[in-house]
Amino acid sequence: VKRSETNLRIPGPTSLPPTVREAGARQMINHRGPEFAAMLARITSRVQPFFRTSNEILILTCSGTGGLEAAVVNTLSPGDPVLVVSIGSFGDRLAKIASAYGANVTKLDIEWGRAAEPDDLRRALAGNPGYKAVLLTHNETSTAVENPIAGLAPVIRELAPDALIIVDGVSGLGAVPFDMDGWGLDVVITGSQKSWMVAPGLAMIALSPRAWEASRTATMPRFYFDLAQAREFAAKGQTPWTPALAVLFQLDAAMALIEAEGYDSIIARHRAVAAATRAGLVALGFRLYADQRYASTTVTAAWIPDGLDWKSFNKALLERNLVLAGGQGKVAGQVLRVGHLGDVSLQDIRDAMDVLEEALVQFGREVTPGAGSAAADRASRETLAREPGTGVAKPETATATAVRG
Amino acid sequence: VKRSETNLRIPGPTSLPPTVREAGARQMINHRGPEFAAMLARITSRVQPFFRTSNEILILTCSGTGGLEAAVVNTLSPGDPVLVVSIGSFGDRLAKIASAYGANVTKLDIEWGRAAEPDDLRRALAGNPGYKAVLLTHNETSTAVENPIAGLAPVIRELAPDALIIVDGVSGLGAVPFDMDGWGLDVVITGSQKSWMVAPGLAMIALSPRAWEASRTATMPRFYFDLAQAREFAAKGQTPWTPALAVLFQLDAAMALIEAEGYDSIIARHRAVAAATRAGLVALGFRLYADQRYASTTVTAAWIPDGLDWKSFNKALLERNLVLAGGQGKVAGQVLRVGHLGDVSLQDIRDAMDVLEEALVQFGREVTPGAGSAAADRASRETLAREPGTGVAKPETATATAVRG
């Protein structure tokens, strides 16, 4: 079965809803004029609830990685001792950025597939040498694991009270409950091409008053990513440098959709499609990669079955218009990853399972016909039935209401 | 007269042709897949002739300023003595970037409105203390002046043979003849939102073999803007970080238009609209701001007539859908600037002159009716008649062929 539209199931860039796509085709405007200022204010006020913060949201023209760099260089000085908690590629990246700018990095390397748990952090912080910051990943895309930030932040506050808590929220924010202020986080970063259903090119970042205070004395060099400048310009409805306008138009359109769908429904939908993906993959005989107690809500990783060559198998998927991600770093060729964030519906996941089933059959594997999509469907319904306060908790209507498509 | 479409006459972002706009609405693709690799190769091969270089073009997700930062941090080390030639705001910005990263900056400040001439540079380099780089702006947007790089580069080569020549080509490249290799330039940067007729969000940068060599020992910290990484990924048709895909789609569409129009015609068209703008403004009684021997081909600045308040006057222009830029920095409120780069036609300039005329009349100034647009028309025709080898040199057909609109 060759489907006419690509099912883009990578963990970002995610596919764009029609009105978001159309917004990318808008004519340019003066980025120093009143129309731009109004748009910037509208976007940031709508993004804030997903950070759950009263700190202002600054928008930078760069990928998520640029946002991570901004977080580091604005709050730290060369020589500063910092702890980087890494549970995968993106945690490693945080360490590389901090090192590149001269921080004195101690790394807590958690085995791939696991989350950092409070006790891991407790041990790592036991001999706290005066860390200026603890850097962690919220949702680790490479391993499909979500760190329990709510449980980790108090440990940092207790054992390293002076350390800033810097969280890479690039691939989780907007799709899962997050509480920047409640958890006492100091810097949080996200990226437009993830749950926000927008093309890549924008990072969003929020700093706590403590982080702003630190930025005054932080001496890592910065210019393009100077957040004090960004803040000064934001106060007059501008950005210091010419921003990625077309992507901002898309973000503006996406935030209107997001507001219309509602915070709770979006969270519930992501939980449902995540559960659907996991159940579907298991029903098809895949073994999930990550510690399922901390399974990511936005991406799922599974071991590629023994004897199956990823390149050939992936070719079979691509021929059927299903685009998955392979493994990153040390698990390249060994795992596949299914993205389920942003504009994703249960139907997208069911389709993905059907294609996986076809491809498995093509490669001579035994699969119960329809098992994957049926399991996905069931898991989605069960998840939605458990969701409190979403207004979509009734099983019989849940799929239609909360899961688009 | 209220026109239905905005005449966006700022020096970037410039307005987008229809097919470029539409490309911004494309659905996302995998940025690590073959379709992306093919697009990247297509774009860079089409951009290269405008740099006139055999060096590879790297594309970064950032504004032009990010590209300038990349140029500095990849080739220099803290403490390096460098000469920054500044003829306006953007030259000042180069100095700020180099200083922020610890270069030992000597600044040659040329009076605003003037170009740096070979003798200025000769004097500045007389006691060359071993400059590692000379940084200059090609087209200074704040003053509407184009530096004669062809005449300046040989002076640098003679008096500072070991210095890298780093040129901010953001607002000129693509619209005026440029010769990176012929002039012996080491780093050249441009930005998508200028002559390329694309939304902001991408910088393009090329490095000479000398600059790549320097990058190996350059110790300024860098991560997001690490060009060695960018080059490594470019070799496999990728970017290190998720790129601004929608803007790349637009750049791909724009380069197809640019190839169809042709290098010579594009250069001729820009010369014609620049001449038209200058002539039109003069005919309306404006006094041009810059030394006209070095008048920019992409933007024109004029003094705001005595007694005219810029804010009120600009409001009258905006009400008629003409968007100009005001003065930057020390000439804010004193000059206005008309952008004429990218997808700009003689008709756009004539319309701008008509609106300026109406607004001047509204403010009680005496203007000969139609003088501005008539002068613009005449200047365009004369310019095109002088253009050799464009295939559009015959005055009677020139406007129709080379000047769209």
Side-chain angles (χ1 to χ4, degrees):
Chain A
V1 183
K2 171 120 181 147
R3 280 125 186 120
S4 64
E5 254 197 69
T6 297
N7 191 356
L8 188 65
R9 299 265 60 81
I10 57 176
T14 62
S15 64
L16 314 182
T19 58
V20 174
R21 289 181 56 177
E22 284 156 25
R26 276 194 58 192
Q27 188 50 283
M28 293 296 102
I29 60 171
N30 185 357
H31 61 297
R32 308 244 176 255
E35 191 185 346
F36 181 84
M39 177 173 72
L40 202 58
R42 194 163 55 234
I43 291 172
T44 53
S45 71
R46 282 173 163 170
V47 167
Q48 257 181 338
F50 288 89
F51 281 71
R52 212 165 275 181
T53 185
S54 61
N55 303 313
E56 77 188 295
I57 310 288
L58 297 172
I59 302 185
L60 311 174
T61 292
C62 59
S63 77
T65 299
L68 302 183
E69 179 162 322
V72 168
V73 300
N74 280 278
T75 57
L76 296 169
S77 301
D80 276 355
V82 303
L83 178 70
V84 177
V85 181
S86 176
I87 67 168
S89 284
F90 288 91
D92 290 353
R93 187 170 295 176
L94 275 174
K96 284 179 195 159
I97 294 171
S99 296
Y101 280 86
N104 179 5
V105 175
T106 301
K107 219 167 142 218
L108 168 58
D109 276 306
I110 303 287
E111 191 192 348
W112 279 41
R114 277 193 54 211
E117 296 187 82
D119 280 348
D120 297 317
L121 199 51
R122 201 169 279 283
R123 277 190 294 276
L125 287 173
N128 172 21
Y131 288 128
K132 296 283 189 183
V134 177
L135 295 88
L136 354 78
T137 315
H138 170 226
N139 185 79
E140 175 58 60
T141 307
S142 66
T143 61
V145 170
E146 184 180 316
N147 267 324
I149 303 292
L152 299 173
V155 176
I156 302 170
R157 279 278 164 272
E158 179 194 339
L159 299 176
D162 295 331
L164 296 173
I165 307 180
I166 299 176
V167 177
D168 166 358
V170 172
S171 63
L173 230 81
V176 297
F178 198 89
D179 192 356
M180 178 175 187
D181 292 356
W183 298 339
L185 310 183
D186 294 297
V187 188
V188 175
I189 309 99
T190 185
S192 54
Q193 80 280 18
K194 302 289 186 180
S195 78
W196 311 99
M197 318 185 292
V198 167
L202 297 174
M204 294 178 268
I205 186 165
L207 274 70
S208 71
R210 266 169 37 120
W212 281 117
E213 189 57 37
S215 76
R216 290 197 223 204
T217 51
T219 60
M220 283 185 181
R222 53 193 181 265
F223 189 84
Y224 184 70
F225 289 127
D226 184 347
L227 295 178
Q229 280 250 47
R231 190 187 209 186
E232 211 174 284
F233 275 77
K236 43 181 178 171
Q238 296 183 17
T239 56
W241 331 122
T242 316
L245 263 179
V247 192
L248 275 158
F249 291 151
Q250 291 192 329
L251 184 55
D252 192 28
M255 293 316 299
L257 292 179
I258 285 169
E259 191 168 275
E261 185 177 1
Y263 184 94
D264 290 340
S265 295
I266 291 170
I267 303 293
R269 177 167 58 82
H270 279 91
R271 281 187 179 140
V273 290
T277 305
R278 292 188 294 260
L281 288 170
V282 168
L284 290 174
F286 287 96
R287 192 157 57 86
L288 300 181
Y289 175 73
D291 177 348
Q292 290 302 298
R293 293 176 304 148
Y294 298 102
S296 163
T297 306
T298 59
V299 57
T300 297
W303 291 100
I304 293 161
D306 285 341
L308 211 56
D309 172 60
W310 167 241
K311 282 209 172 159
S312 321
F313 187 66
N314 192 34
K315 195 163 165 282
L317 303 176
L318 289 170
E319 279 163 2
R320 292 170 173 85
N321 282 332
L322 174 62
V323 184
L324 301 185
Q328 268 187 326
K330 62 175 86 167
V331 292
Q334 297 177 61
V335 309
L336 57 77
R337 292 175 301 148
V338 183
H340 35 77
L341 73 169
D343 185 34
V344 54
S345 68
L346 174 60
Q347 195 53 50
D348 294 329
I349 303 304
R350 291 180 53 124
D351 284 349
M353 295 306 145
D354 288 344
V355 168
L356 281 164
E357 178 189 317
E358 283 178 26
L360 286 168
V361 170
Q362 180 186 326
F363 280 78
R365 306 283 161 153
E366 256 179 59
V367 190
T368 313
S373 62
D377 191 52
R378 206 159 42 239
S380 170
R381 286 172 188 275
E382 287 169 8
T383 304
L384 289 171
R386 278 197 307 272
E387 283 295 318
T390 61
V392 293
K394 281 185 249 151
E396 69 274 19
T397 61
T399 311
T401 319
V403 180
R404 291 192 256 149
Chain B
V1 182
K2 172 119 179 148
R3 280 125 186 121
S4 63
E5 254 196 70
T6 297
N7 192 356
L8 188 65
R9 298 266 59 82
I10 57 176
T14 62
S15 63
L16 314 181
T19 58
V20 174
R21 290 180 56 177
E22 285 156 24
R26 277 193 58 193
Q27 187 52 283
M28 292 295 102
I29 60 171
N30 184 356
H31 61 297
R32 309 241 176 257
E35 192 185 346
F36 181 84
M39 177 172 71
L40 202 58
R42 196 164 51 235
I43 291 172
T44 53
S45 71
R46 282 172 163 171
V47 167
Q48 257 181 337
F50 288 90
F51 280 70
R52 211 165 275 180
T53 186
S54 61
N55 302 313
E56 77 188 294
I57 310 288
L58 297 172
I59 302 184
L60 311 174
T61 292
C62 58
S63 77
T65 298
L68 302 184
E69 180 161 321
V72 168
V73 301
N74 280 278
T75 57
L76 297 169
S77 301
D80 277 355
V82 302
L83 178 69
V84 176
V85 180
S86 175
I87 65 167
S89 284
F90 288 90
D92 289 354
R93 186 170 296 176
L94 275 174
K96 284 179 194 157
I97 294 171
S99 295
Y101 280 86
N104 179 6
V105 174
T106 301
K107 216 166 144 221
L108 168 58
D109 275 307
I110 303 287
E111 192 193 346
W112 279 41
R114 276 193 54 211
E117 297 187 81
D119 280 348
D120 297 317
L121 200 51
R122 202 168 279 283
R123 277 191 294 275
L125 287 174
N128 171 22
Y131 288 127
K132 295 282 190 186
V134 177
L135 296 88
L136 352 78
T137 315
H138 170 224
N139 186 80
E140 175 57 61
T141 307
S142 65
T143 62
V145 170
E146 184 181 316
N147 268 324
I149 304 291
L152 298 172
V155 176
I156 302 169
R157 280 279 163 271
E158 179 196 338
L159 298 177
D162 295 332
L164 296 173
I165 307 180
I166 299 177
V167 176
D168 166 358
V170 173
S171 64
L173 231 81
V176 297
F178 198 90
D179 192 356
M180 179 176 187
D181 293 357
W183 297 340
L185 310 182
D186 294 297
V187 188
V188 175
I189 310 99
T190 185
S192 55
Q193 80 280 17
K194 302 289 187 178
S195 77
W196 311 99
M197 317 186 293
V198 167
L202 297 174
M204 294 179 267
I205 187 167
L207 274 70
S208 72
R210 265 170 38 122
W212 281 116
E213 189 56 38
S215 76
R216 292 197 221 202
T217 51
T219 60
M220 282 185 183
R222 53 193 180 265
F223 188 85
Y224 184 70
F225 289 128
D226 184 349
L227 296 178
Q229 280 250 49
R231 191 188 208 186
E232 211 175 284
F233 276 77
K236 44 182 178 172
Q238 296 184 17
T239 56
W241 331 122
T242 315
L245 262 180
V247 192
L248 275 159
F249 290 151
Q250 291 192 329
L251 184 54
D252 192 27
M255 292 318 298
L257 292 180
I258 285 169
E259 191 169 274
E261 185 177 2
Y263 184 94
D264 290 340
S265 295
I266 290 170
I267 302 293
R269 177 167 58 82
H270 280 92
R271 281 187 180 140
V273 290
T277 306
R278 293 188 293 260
L281 288 170
V282 168
L284 290 174
F286 287 95
R287 192 157 57 86
L288 300 181
Y289 174 72
D291 178 349
Q292 289 304 297
R293 293 176 305 148
Y294 297 103
S296 163
T297 305
T298 60
V299 58
T300 297
W303 291 100
I304 293 161
D306 284 341
L308 211 57
D309 173 59
W310 166 242
K311 282 208 172 158
S312 320
F313 188 65
N314 192 34
K315 196 162 165 282
L317 303 177
L318 289 170
E319 280 164 2
R320 293 169 172 85
N321 282 333
L322 174 63
V323 185
L324 301 186
Q328 268 188 327
K330 62 175 87 168
V331 292
Q334 299 176 60
V335 308
L336 56 78
R337 291 176 301 149
V338 184
H340 34 78
L341 73 170
D343 186 34
V344 54
S345 68
L346 174 60
Q347 195 54 50
D348 294 329
I349 303 304
R350 291 181 55 126
D351 284 350
M353 295 307 144
D354 288 344
V355 168
L356 281 164
E357 179 189 316
E358 284 178 26
L360 286 168
V361 169
Q362 181 185 326
F363 281 78
R365 306 283 160 153
E366 256 180 59
V367 190
T368 313
S373 62
D377 192 51
R378 208 161 39 238
S380 170
R381 285 172 189 276
E382 286 169 8
T383 304
L384 289 171
R386 278 198 306 273
E387 284 294 319
T390 59
V392 294
K394 282 185 247 150
E396 70 273 21
T397 61
T399 311
T401 321
V403 180
R404 291 191 257 150

PDB file of all heavy atoms in Angstrom, chain B residues 201-220:
ATOM      1  N   GLY B 201      16.764  34.222   8.158  1.00  0.00           N
ATOM      2  CA  GLY B 201      16.951  32.987   8.918  1.00  0.00           C
ATOM      3  C   GLY B 201      18.146  32.166   8.474  1.00  0.00           C
ATOM      4  O   GLY B 201      18.540  31.224   9.155  1.00  0.00           O
ATOM      5  N   LEU B 202      18.719  32.544   7.333  1.00  0.00           N
ATOM      6  CA  LEU B 202      19.889  31.804   6.857  1.00  0.00           C
ATOM      7  C   LEU B 202      21.031  32.756   6.530  1.00  0.00           C
ATOM      8  O   LEU B 202      20.827  33.796   5.907  1.00  0.00           O
ATOM      9  CB  LEU B 202      19.549  31.018   5.584  1.00  0.00           C
ATOM     10  CG  LEU B 202      18.487  29.933   5.700  1.00  0.00           C
ATOM     11  CD1 LEU B 202      18.182  29.356   4.314  1.00  0.00           C
ATOM     12  CD2 LEU B 202      18.920  28.825   6.653  1.00  0.00           C
ATOM     13  N   ALA B 203      22.221  32.399   6.963  1.00  0.00           N
ATOM     14  CA  ALA B 203      23.431  33.089   6.524  1.00  0.00           C
ATOM     15  C   ALA B 203      24.206  32.123   5.653  1.00  0.00           C
ATOM     16  O   ALA B 203      24.157  30.909   5.854  1.00  0.00           O
ATOM     17  CB  ALA B 203      24.271  33.512   7.728  1.00  0.00           C
ATOM     18  N   MET B 204      24.888  32.677   4.652  1.00  0.00           N
ATOM     19  CA  MET B 204      25.739  31.844   3.791  1.00  0.00           C
ATOM     20  C   MET B 204      27.154  32.364   3.917  1.00  0.00           C
ATOM     21  O   MET B 204      27.373  33.577   3.944  1.00  0.00           O
ATOM     22  CB  MET B 204      25.246  31.923   2.361  1.00  0.00           C
ATOM     23  CG  MET B 204      23.861  31.306   2.213  1.00  0.00           C
ATOM     24  SD  MET B 204      23.224  31.414   0.533  1.00  0.00           S
ATOM     25  CE  MET B 204      22.306  32.963   0.642  1.00  0.00           C
ATOM     26  N   ILE B 205      28.096  31.453   3.985  1.00  0.00           N
ATOM     27  CA  ILE B 205      29.469  31.851   4.263  1.00  0.00           C
ATOM     28  C   ILE B 205      30.435  30.979   3.461  1.00  0.00           C
ATOM     29  O   ILE B 205      30.191  29.785   3.271  1.00  0.00           O
ATOM     30  CB  ILE B 205      29.740  31.768   5.785  1.00  0.00           C
ATOM     31  CG1 ILE B 205      31.108  32.332   6.150  1.00  0.00           C
ATOM     32  CG2 ILE B 205      29.579  30.356   6.308  1.00  0.00           C
ATOM     33  CD1 ILE B 205      31.279  32.565   7.664  1.00  0.00           C
ATOM     34  N   ALA B 206      31.486  31.603   2.958  1.00  0.00           N
ATOM     35  CA  ALA B 206      32.528  30.863   2.237  1.00  0.00           C
ATOM     36  C   ALA B 206      33.882  31.231   2.818  1.00  0.00           C
ATOM     37  O   ALA B 206      34.118  32.390   3.178  1.00  0.00           O
ATOM     38  CB  ALA B 206      32.478  31.202   0.749  1.00  0.00           C
ATOM     39  N   LEU B 207      34.749  30.240   2.932  1.00  0.00           N
ATOM     40  CA  LEU B 207      36.100  30.451   3.469  1.00  0.00           C
ATOM     41  C   LEU B 207      37.139  30.018   2.444  1.00  0.00           C
ATOM     42  O   LEU B 207      36.979  28.968   1.795  1.00  0.00           O
ATOM     43  CB  LEU B 207      36.314  29.620   4.747  1.00  0.00           C
ATOM     44  CG  LEU B 207      35.865  30.231   6.076  1.00  0.00           C
ATOM     45  CD1 LEU B 207      34.346  30.274   6.134  1.00  0.00           C
ATOM     46  CD2 LEU B 207      36.401  29.417   7.255  1.00  0.00           C
ATOM     47  N   SER B 208      38.183  30.798   2.334  1.00  0.00           N
ATOM     48  CA  SER B 208      39.298  30.453   1.453  1.00  0.00           C
ATOM     49  C   SER B 208      40.123  29.348   2.116  1.00  0.00           C
ATOM     50  O   SER B 208      40.003  29.114   3.322  1.00  0.00           O
ATOM     51  CB  SER B 208      40.179  31.681   1.241  1.00  0.00           C
ATOM     52  OG  SER B 208      40.899  31.954   2.441  1.00  0.00           O
ATOM     53  N   PRO B 209      40.990  28.685   1.353  1.00  0.00           N
ATOM     54  CA  PRO B 209      41.877  27.685   1.978  1.00  0.00           C
ATOM     55  C   PRO B 209      42.685  28.292   3.129  1.00  0.00           C
ATOM     56  O   PRO B 209      42.884  27.641   4.159  1.00  0.00           O
ATOM     57  CB  PRO B 209      42.777  27.267   0.811  1.00  0.00           C
ATOM     58  CG  PRO B 209      41.934  27.477  -0.416  1.00  0.00           C
ATOM     59  CD  PRO B 209      41.116  28.703  -0.116  1.00  0.00           C
ATOM     60  N   ARG B 210      43.148  29.542   2.972  1.00  0.00           N
ATOM     61  CA  ARG B 210      43.873  30.209   4.057  1.00  0.00           C
ATOM     62  C   ARG B 210      43.018  30.320   5.315  1.00  0.00           C
ATOM     63  O   ARG B 210      43.493  30.137   6.444  1.00  0.00           O
ATOM     64  CB  ARG B 210      44.243  31.643   3.631  1.00  0.00           C
ATOM     65  CG  ARG B 210      45.626  31.801   3.047  1.00  0.00           C
ATOM     66  CD  ARG B 210      45.862  33.169   2.409  1.00  0.00           C
ATOM     67  NE  ARG B 210      45.261  34.307   3.093  1.00  0.00           N
ATOM     68  CZ  ARG B 210      45.954  35.350   3.549  1.00  0.00           C
ATOM     69  NH1 ARG B 210      47.267  35.391   3.425  1.00  0.00           N
ATOM     70  NH2 ARG B 210      45.326  36.357   4.104  1.00  0.00           N
ATOM     71  N   ALA B 211      41.745  30.654   5.129  1.00  0.00           N
ATOM     72  CA  ALA B 211      40.852  30.794   6.283  1.00  0.00           C
ATOM     73  C   ALA B 211      40.594  29.443   6.943  1.00  0.00           C
ATOM     74  O   ALA B 211      40.562  29.336   8.177  1.00  0.00           O
ATOM     75  CB  ALA B 211      39.530  31.434   5.843  1.00  0.00           C
ATOM     76  N   TRP B 212      40.444  28.402   6.131  1.00  0.00           N
ATOM     77  CA  TRP B 212      40.260  27.064   6.717  1.00  0.00           C
ATOM     78  C   TRP B 212      41.495  26.658   7.507  1.00  0.00           C
ATOM     79  O   TRP B 212      41.393  26.062   8.583  1.00  0.00           O
ATOM     80  CB  TRP B 212      39.968  26.021   5.625  1.00  0.00           C
ATOM     81  CG  TRP B 212      38.547  26.047   5.152  1.00  0.00           C
ATOM     82  CD1 TRP B 212      38.094  26.364   3.903  1.00  0.00           C
ATOM     83  CD2 TRP B 212      37.375  25.766   5.934  1.00  0.00           C
ATOM     84  NE1 TRP B 212      36.722  26.296   3.854  1.00  0.00           N
ATOM     85  CE2 TRP B 212      36.254  25.928   5.081  1.00  0.00           C
ATOM     86  CE3 TRP B 212      37.158  25.396   7.267  1.00  0.00           C
ATOM     87  CZ2 TRP B 212      34.942  25.730   5.520  1.00  0.00           C
ATOM     88  CZ3 TRP B 212      35.853  25.198   7.709  1.00  0.00           C
ATOM     89  CH2 TRP B 212      34.764  25.368   6.842  1.00  0.00           C
ATOM     90  N   GLU B 213      42.659  27.010   6.952  1.00  0.00           N
ATOM     91  CA  GLU B 213      43.911  26.710   7.635  1.00  0.00           C
ATOM     92  C   GLU B 213      43.939  27.436   8.992  1.00  0.00           C
ATOM     93  O   GLU B 213      44.279  26.853  10.024  1.00  0.00           O
ATOM     94  CB  GLU B 213      45.080  27.171   6.747  1.00  0.00           C
ATOM     95  CG  GLU B 213      46.455  26.742   7.211  1.00  0.00           C
ATOM     96  CD  GLU B 213      46.594  25.243   7.380  1.00  0.00           C
ATOM     97  OE1 GLU B 213      46.032  24.497   6.554  1.00  0.00           O
ATOM     98  OE2 GLU B 213      47.254  24.824   8.368  1.00  0.00           O
ATOM     99  N   ALA B 214      43.561  28.708   8.976  1.00  0.00           N
ATOM    100  CA  ALA B 214      43.536  29.495  10.214  1.00  0.00           C
ATOM    101  C   ALA B 214      42.563  28.892  11.228  1.00  0.00           C
ATOM    102  O   ALA B 214      42.787  28.933  12.441  1.00  0.00           O
ATOM    103  CB  ALA B 214      43.163  30.941   9.909  1.00  0.00           C
ATOM    104  N   SER B 215      41.475  28.323  10.728  1.00  0.00           N
ATOM    105  CA  SER B 215      40.443  27.794  11.633  1.00  0.00           C
ATOM    106  C   SER B 215      40.973  26.626  12.468  1.00  0.00           C
ATOM    107  O   SER B 215      40.461  26.338  13.543  1.00  0.00           O
ATOM    108  CB  SER B 215      39.208  27.363  10.848  1.00  0.00           C
ATOM    109  OG  SER B 215      39.435  26.129  10.193  1.00  0.00           O
ATOM    110  N   ARG B 216      42.014  25.966  11.959  1.00  0.00           N
ATOM    111  CA  ARG B 216      42.556  24.823  12.716  1.00  0.00           C
ATOM    112  C   ARG B 216      43.223  25.241  14.014  1.00  0.00           C
ATOM    113  O   ARG B 216      43.280  24.462  14.963  1.00  0.00           O
ATOM    114  CB  ARG B 216      43.600  24.107  11.881  1.00  0.00           C
ATOM    115  CG  ARG B 216      42.998  23.425  10.685  1.00  0.00           C
ATOM    116  CD  ARG B 216      43.986  22.411  10.157  1.00  0.00           C
ATOM    117  NE  ARG B 216      43.997  22.453   8.718  1.00  0.00           N
ATOM    118  CZ  ARG B 216      44.400  21.452   7.964  1.00  0.00           C
ATOM    119  NH1 ARG B 216      44.849  20.349   8.532  1.00  0.00           N
ATOM    120  NH2 ARG B 216      44.375  21.549   6.669  1.00  0.00           N
ATOM    121  N   THR B 217      43.789  26.454  14.003  1.00  0.00           N
ATOM    122  CA  THR B 217      44.499  26.882  15.213  1.00  0.00           C
ATOM    123  C   THR B 217      43.753  27.992  15.955  1.00  0.00           C
ATOM    124  O   THR B 217      44.163  28.385  17.044  1.00  0.00           O
ATOM    125  CB  THR B 217      45.917  27.386  14.851  1.00  0.00           C
ATOM    126  OG1 THR B 217      45.799  28.350  13.793  1.00  0.00           O
ATOM    127  CG2 THR B 217      46.788  26.241  14.352  1.00  0.00           C
ATOM    128  N   ALA B 218      42.683  28.469  15.365  1.00  0.00           N
ATOM    129  CA  ALA B 218      41.910  29.550  15.997  1.00  0.00           C
ATOM    130  C   ALA B 218      41.268  29.018  17.276  1.00  0.00           C
ATOM    131  O   ALA B 218      40.647  27.956  17.263  1.00  0.00           O
ATOM    132  CB  ALA B 218      40.844  30.055  15.043  1.00  0.00           C
ATOM    133  N   THR B 219      41.416  29.758  18.367  1.00  0.00           N
ATOM    134  CA  THR B 219      40.940  29.221  19.649  1.00  0.00           C
ATOM    135  C   THR B 219      39.739  29.951  20.238  1.00  0.00           C
ATOM    136  O   THR B 219      39.359  29.682  21.378  1.00  0.00           O
ATOM    137  CB  THR B 219      42.081  29.231  20.693  1.00  0.00           C
ATOM    138  OG1 THR B 219      42.506  30.582  20.872  1.00  0.00           O
ATOM    139  CG2 THR B 219      43.256  28.374  20.253  1.00  0.00           C
ATOM    140  N   MET B 220      39.178  30.902  19.498  1.00  0.00           N
ATOM    141  CA  MET B 220      37.947  31.490  20.037  1.00  0.00           C
ATOM    142  C   MET B 220      36.933  30.366  20.196  1.00  0.00           C
ATOM    143  O   MET B 220      36.835  29.485  19.337  1.00  0.00           O
ATOM    144  CB  MET B 220      37.412  32.582  19.109  1.00  0.00           C
ATOM    145  CG  MET B 220      38.164  33.899  19.218  1.00  0.00           C
ATOM    146  SD  MET B 220      37.407  35.195  18.205  1.00  0.00           S
ATOM    147  CE  MET B 220      38.564  36.545  18.503  1.00  0.00           C
TER     148      MET B 220
END
